[in-house]
Amino acid sequence: FLIFFLSINQNFTPSKMPLKLDVEKVLHGKSERVKCVDIHSSEPWILSALYSGNIFIWNYDTESIVRTFEISEVPVRTAKFIERKNWLVCGTDDMHIRIYNYNTCEKVKEFEAHTDYIRSIAVHPSLPFILSASDDMSIKLWDWDNHWENSIIFEGHTHYVMQIAINPKDNNSFASASLDRSVKVWGLNSSVPHFALEGHERGVNAISYYGGGERPFLVSGADDNLVKVWDYQTKTCIATLEGHSANISAVAFHPSLPVIISGSEDGSIKLWHSCTYRLETTLHYGMERVWCVACLATSNRVAIGFDEGTIMLALGQEEPMASMDSSGKVVWARNHDIQLLKLLRGGAAQFASVADGAVVPQLSVDDLGSTEFYPSYVRHNKNGQLIAVCGDGEYTIYTSLRLKHKSFGEAHEFAWSSTESDVYATRVSDKKLVIHRAFREHCTIRASYSIAHIFGGHLLAAKSGGGGDGDDDTSIYFYSWQSGVCIRRIECAPLHVYWSSSAEGALVALVCAEHYYVLRYHREIVDKYMAHEVDVAEHGIETAFSLEHDVNECVVSGAFSNDVFVYTTATPNHRLHYYIGGHVATLAHLDRVCYVLGYLPRANRVFLVDKQYSILSFALQRYVLAYQAAIVADDEATAQSLLDKRKIDAAHFNKLAHFLEAQARPEMALRLSTDAEHQFELALSLRKLELAKKILLRAPSPQKWKQLADLALRQADVATAEEAAMQAQDLSLLLVLYTATNYTRGLRRLYALARQQRKYNVAFNAALYVGDVDACWQLLMQDADGD
């Protein structure tokens, strides 16, 4: 098998390209020296333990301090959240452990725990235990369910114990780092260590376990300026990472990214690839020495403590690497592992009882295998039989059900064609794209601009980077999959490009930072140019696209189902919308960021995935979409047949009526609407006075009677205007109407009615108009008497 693939990829060598990992600073909080940080798993909080004796809780969304605890007059060197109790626990240089309720700020417990400074605390993930490590060279286990009893003391180190870490794969074991130059591994049931890992030439300050996959690794950092990676099963050092120029104070295996993070007293943070151990990048923030690092298993965010405050970084993308085909099979990458789940394994009927927005229950996940590189892209091809995985400068194409290799090669990025199942493109450099057909190179595109990103679809799209050296081009270029010819250049720098899934690929959504454009692709025009071999200008064919709509929405993710664009929006209002024919409908309000997997007509559901890889679904009836699509296509016969055959439940009629109104079809909307208020508005817009009157007789409203009276008056329908004004008790309008028509009997009736309602101005004017001086005099006398 390997020989076969080498024969078709003779020029391919393993990639040495750097890991594609964007780094964004989320929080920059200034404070005194930070000795320990921790991240809350459900709140946007970072806990910072300060050398000044205080603890801050930062909200990294608002970049503000939400809690302050004045702990002691001596340094707080360690602090952790205990989320299941709403507590924080901390250790200080007065040898005490203190526990606070972080919601009420009430102190829960304080006790003397050691005979020297407390350096580190670890919270057991499931048992009611914490471990504390101290300069007294001991580690102690405390049971909070048993009145904080010290259950066991672990002894064996001969110098200060600087940090402890519980093994995420075996919660009954933990490791410790000490200035005696060793890392020791312990069990919770024995006071002596199982074994020691020795190799550092100076004291060890920090340790962290690898939590992903099957590799039994931990990483350590020491005063010899080195980071070492250990296999704790074979008890050997498998890698030594050099690059820092001062003591290593913090290390961490990121729980979901292929990254080792190290922080040093030289003020730098280094990111190392956890598979190749190559240095990916070095970060400097000018905040003096680094003291601590914390990661969260469910996020790509990292908190770092410095001499001058706290920083939070977002590494890479938070969007799950997941793809769903048209049959409901979802493939996703979690770290290096590729997994498969079948949404329709139990049939489409299973979703009838699932509430909108609820996590889809009881999904069986199949492990397909793992990749040699860290994936940054996972996507099905057109027919769903293949998936492409790209990352670390490489790509591999697999069968989607059994993860069998079909092809591989070098690529910064990968994109599938949506017109043919075996056509795809790779970006091999900032200036070069290669289009492949049937797993062989078909043609090469050499760009005159710097390519920042590529997108698949009906055409191959390449976004220019504007990456310096006089290159200020920020455009999107569309290329033919067959010839590599530039079809059109558009001056726009989209974040995403989504094509409709119809055979013609008629619509394309260009998603920018604050809005999106919907363009119509005119394939017939392009085909004529290609068929007659007309020379295409540098900027392509001007008539290849036309603008349909410009929608002001911040799109997070989206997908087309035929010509229906389903998408989620960004903060502050997380929503699920769909676009069809210029009409945007809201399906749901979301309580968190979610990403669109796609729409399955068989299940009548839209499926989303969140950052924790939970799948949510929302109802969207396929016949409702079919009706709307027929209307957009001016196919009223098909739309009517769906109604005649009762394919659409009456519960959706009002929604469709509003859609028809937005499509400038008020007559059809009026026939379909069952909402009296909407019916009335439509009848008014169509100037159907009698129908509007009938609707109001069934559901009367003074305000709407007045609207009807105004419209009737404009149409010179005096009788209807009088009736509506009387129903609305609009006496001023009746006065205008009766005086304009010289209707004396009406004015006398109005006089009596106005006097009864104590509207004396109207009554006086009515009496004056008919010449009833006595009535006018009587009204004036009543006013003089204060009546």
Side-chain angles (χ1 to χ4, degrees), residues 89-370:
V89 57
C90 59
T92 55
D93 280 6
D94 61 8
M95 291 79 79
H96 282 224
I97 288 177
R98 295 173 175 84
I99 301 93
Y100 293 83
N101 184 304
Y102 55 66
N103 288 327
T104 66
C105 299
E106 176 188 2
K107 185 189 290 184
V108 176
K109 182 73 173 177
E110 177 181 352
F111 57 91
E112 186 172 349
H114 288 272
T115 59
D116 208 335
Y117 298 165
I118 300 172
R119 294 282 181 173
S120 179
I121 288 175
V123 180
H124 196 281
S126 57
L127 298 175
F129 299 157
I130 66 167
L131 292 163
S132 61
S134 169
D135 284 0
D136 64 12
M137 300 180 288
S138 72
I139 302 166
K140 295 184 179 182
L141 185 145
W142 309 89
D143 183 345
W144 69 68
D145 274 357
N146 198 19
H147 308 289
W148 293 95
E149 179 185 52
N150 179 202
S151 303
I152 189 169
I153 300 175
F154 304 91
E155 296 179 313
H157 281 297
T158 58
H159 210 311
Y160 302 163
V161 185
M162 302 299 289
Q163 190 175 6
I164 44 180
I166 295 173
N167 189 340
K169 298 175 184 176
D170 177 8
N171 296 159
N172 289 317
S173 66
F174 67 93
S176 59
S178 171
L179 295 188
D180 63 12
R181 306 181 185 179
S182 73
V183 173
K184 296 187 185 297
V185 176
W186 314 71
L188 292 181
N189 299 319
S190 174
S191 61
V192 296
H194 294 332
F195 56 86
L197 303 173
E198 297 180 343
H200 281 292
E201 296 179 0
R202 298 187 67 186
V204 185
N205 295 311
I207 49 169
S208 175
Y209 275 100
Y210 176 70
E214 299 179 354
R215 297 185 295 170
F217 292 172
L218 61 81
V219 61
S220 62
D223 288 343
D224 57 9
N225 306 348
L226 300 178
V227 175
K228 288 184 178 289
V229 181
W230 306 85
D231 183 323
Y232 55 79
Q233 286 188 351
T234 62
K235 306 177 184 61
T236 57
C237 175
I238 58 173
T240 298
L241 314 182
E242 302 181 38
H244 284 291
S245 58
N247 299 343
I248 310 295
S249 48
V251 293
F253 265 116
H254 195 282
S256 58
L257 298 172
V259 169
I260 296 170
I261 305 159
S262 62
S264 167
E265 292 182 36
D266 63 15
S268 71
I269 304 107
K270 292 185 183 291
L271 304 182
W272 315 80
H273 198 299
S274 61
C275 297
T276 64
Y277 307 113
R278 103 189 136 227
L279 177 64
E280 296 295 332
T281 189
T282 300
L283 306 172
H284 293 274
Y285 291 99
M287 298 180 71
E288 300 298 332
R289 295 172 292 183
V290 179
W291 291 108
C292 47
V293 171
C295 304
L296 196 60
T298 56
S299 173
N300 67 341
R301 301 192 172 189
V302 177
I304 306 166
F306 295 82
D307 270 334
E308 297 181 357
T310 304
I311 277 180
M312 171 166 269
L313 304 177
L315 305 180
Q317 62 182 33
E318 289 195 316
E319 181 174 353
M321 283 163 285
S323 175
M324 183 176 77
D325 70 5
S326 59
S327 66
K329 297 182 183 69
V330 178
V331 173
W332 60 36
R334 305 194 70 169
N335 210 331
H336 289 263
D337 300 323
I338 307 297
Q339 297 176 325
L340 167 71
L341 62 157
K342 300 176 182 178
L343 291 176
L344 301 184
R345 180 174 284 172
Q350 66 181 309
F351 294 103
S353 60
V354 177
D356 280 358
V359 174
V360 178
Q362 299 177 345
L363 288 177
S364 164
V365 178
D366 300 325
D367 290 319
L368 296 182
S370 59

